[in-house]
Amino acid sequence: MLNGIFSVEFVNSILRATTPILFATMASSVAAKAGICNMALEGMMLLSALFGVLFSALGGGIFGAATGLSQFASFGVGFLLTVLVGGIIGMIFAFCILQMKADEILAAIALNLVASGGTIMLLMAVTGEKGASNAIASVAAPKVTIPLIESIPVLGKILSGQNLLTWLSLLSVVVMHLFLYKTPMGLKIRAVGENKDAAESVGISAKKVQYIALTISGMLASMGGFYLSGGYMNMFTRDMAAGRGYIALAASSMGADTPIGGFLVSILFGIAQAVANLMQLTTIPMQLIQMIPYLTTLIGLGVYSYVRMKRRKRLLQSE
Amino acid sequence: MKIYSNGVVANEDVSLDLKKGEIHALLGENGAGKSTLMKVLFGIESPDQGKILLKGQETAIKSPQDAIAKGIGMVHQHFMLVPSLSVAENIILGVAPVKGIFIDKKRAVQEARDIAEKYNFHIDVTARVEEIPVGVKQKVEILKALYRGAEILILDEPTAVLTPQETGELFVQLKKLKENGHTVIFISHKLDEIKEICDRATIMRNGRSMGTYQVAGMSTDEMSRLMVGREVVLKFEKKPAERRQTLMQVRDLTVHNSQGVLKVDHLSFDVKGGEILGIAGVEGNGQSELVEVMTGLNQNYQGTVRVANTDIRKKSIKEIRNRSLAHIPEDRMKSGCAGTLNILENLFSNQYERKEFSGRMFLKSREMQKKAKEWIAQYRVKCSSYKQKVGMLSGGNIQKVIVAREFSTNPSIIIANQPTRGIDVGASELIRRRLLEFRDAGCAVILISADLNEVLSLSDRLAVMYKGQFAGIFTDAEQVAEDLLGQYMLGIKKDEKLEGAIYESCETL
């Protein structure tokens, strides 16, 4: 067990577990900064996991799913289409809550339930199976091998050979940070999320800004979903999001909805997941082990609330 | 520049003209229509009739954005700032200078600094808004408007949240703005401030303008008379008060609001059964805070409040109400009723637990329906049935439902906070008569009202509240001249020694 923890494989397994949560955490951050709790992340991820398999199989059909360049091209088609659909789902969600004034939590629950049932129905319609997409020849995201670094001991095995999407998820942290804190649109998003009236009083359309934020949120969530069926695993299985959308909500909120903070907490959850994976080799009952990531979420949220409460108390006293 | 606006209720035949480079006061009591007029000017509301002329040309101001584009800026009473952003970011929000795809932060800070310097505002533009004091926040608001090219600046009660020092500083800056050719509309009901910095004043009362005057040639007395003058004298057949035992005792009550501002300042008074104590005053002088303590809504106070001989500290609202205290809250939509519930449900919200209406498990709906119908008839609530949602009724009828509910418990103490504000004459009349009936039956009534007519004609004793204290108290309310009352309300006059607030007989606390 300890040997397992101090191995290169374990670090890789952390990164593997972190990637989908990280995408979803960024998705949650951008929505939260715009003042919306995007609880629909779970459903968005699940839908994208299935679309990822379907679209990359489509890409495979066009380019052939061999190796090298054609693998990259078919993955590219699948990925881009999935992200596009993810953006559209985000927009539909935005339409429901901003235009139709549906309660954001209820709309999210509806979307999550539709995703859970809808993906199985769609899978059934396409493959005739209800559980998994074994029958579809989907194309997974390529791994990135870095020629020189590859040969460095330990570090080389970590830096090289990672899934392309893992790199992309790390990049998304930087991009989201720059976007939210350095661009005019980011400033608008933060202003709308914090004081809608103030933003509107200077002529910012809060609705438009929230539409944009939710579209971006949907796109990021779909990247996380794509990774689940095209990286973490090589197929779609029913309900494979497995609460990651909710974990991401917790991670984002614990990280004060900032990309950097969310990134750090995501890694924590990644570690919990990796430990759980590792412990499956022991004799401890499976059910207990599977609780670990969720238990970590619960404890994390508890700690977060406690710290925030203390901080607020101190602020009140200092006044 | 000339502005005419004409609405139905809030504003009627109001005209206001502004000259370039003047500080123009808009003077009036709360509810006189100042805010509505400003909302029209800032494009938040559109006038039903009348026109607005800007630099000699007729214009329509469609939205706040439109107003900003036309050079009108507004500083709201509640600041429109984003707390976690810096001062500079708040100033440039929505019109940020860019370099490539990113915000040009250096230029943003520089531009914010430039505009602050130009108007002599000494503020650190890199500080976060949540960390700066209220006075500075206001400066940021003004800068925000100036950065967007405002030539006309509307300040909605700018001094309400400021300390005297901050107020002084603001005045220096406003004068500077005036010298620079800006026009300032200064909304206030504080006469001394208007005397100090305004050139001309338009006085409003009941949604009408009472004329525009040169401030220099006018005394504060004249202003106050135009502002609060009484038009119609209400007449009620009133028996002399038969005072009974003391039911409400307040001693040395001091209340700070959540921002730590002193709102009620060592206030002491008594109210006996069978009399009406009127509390007059311009809104915001501590009346709401006083009521909150007396009704148990706010437990955070110093001093003692005794309701029917029981100290109410640490008593729940329910326990206080069970000592037969009734409360007609000032904000009927927020704390007076539940708008989405029906009339019956609202009528019983304070008494559904009473034995007559509630069994062990279920409410006795038949009894409740019977009573509800009875009360609806008694208070002449205009509705289709008791099943109608309260939120769908008119203001006057909502108030009748609340009053019916509060009076139906047969209270011995009634706290009526602005009971007839914004409702029609008929409903007001009904409520006032009921208050008198309760007084005659031995009930202690505390009537808080900004309506001079009302307090003068109903009260047996009358106190005027100013800055958390009683500025004056009159033991024979009917003999008070309204001019005099106005001077007390606006803080021109203040009695150093108060007589008649406390009854000698109950100094046993």
Side-chain angles (χ1 to χ4, degrees), chain A residues 246-267:
Chain A
Y246 302 120
I247 290 180
L249 273 184
S252 166
S253 125
M254 278 171 73
D257 295 324
T258 63
I260 308 284
F263 166 65
L264 295 175
V265 183
S266 296
I267 287 184

Side-chain angles (χ1 to χ4, degrees), chain A residues 191-205:
Chain A
V192 167
E194 213 179 307
N195 189 346
K196 211 169 168 176
D197 292 337
E200 286 191 326
S201 80
V202 293
I204 294 170
S205 160

Side-chain angles (χ1 to χ4, degrees), chain A residues 33 175 178-179 181-205 315-316 319, chain B residues 42 64-65 68 76 79-85 89-90 92-98 101-105 130 141 144 148 258-259:
Chain A
K33 280 287 176 208
V175 171
L178 290 176
F179 174 69
Y181 291 96
K182 305 285 174 197
T183 66
M185 184 42 78
L187 184 66
K188 284 184 196 172
I189 287 177
R190 286 184 294 139
V192 167
E194 213 179 307
N195 189 346
K196 211 169 168 176
D197 292 337
E200 286 191 326
S201 80
V202 293
I204 294 170
S205 160
L315 259 176
L316 273 179
E319 275 177 11
Chain B
F42 198 56
Q65 286 83 339
I68 293 168
H76 298 264
F79 297 143
M80 297 284 188
L81 296 171
V82 186
S84 77
L85 300 185
E89 281 172 321
N90 266 289
I92 55 134
L93 183 60
V95 282
V98 288
I101 56 163
F102 295 123
I103 293 174
D104 189 344
K105 209 165 177 187
E130 60 193 347
E141 281 281 27
K144 238 172 83 181
R148 287 168 174 72
S258 54
Q259 275 95 48

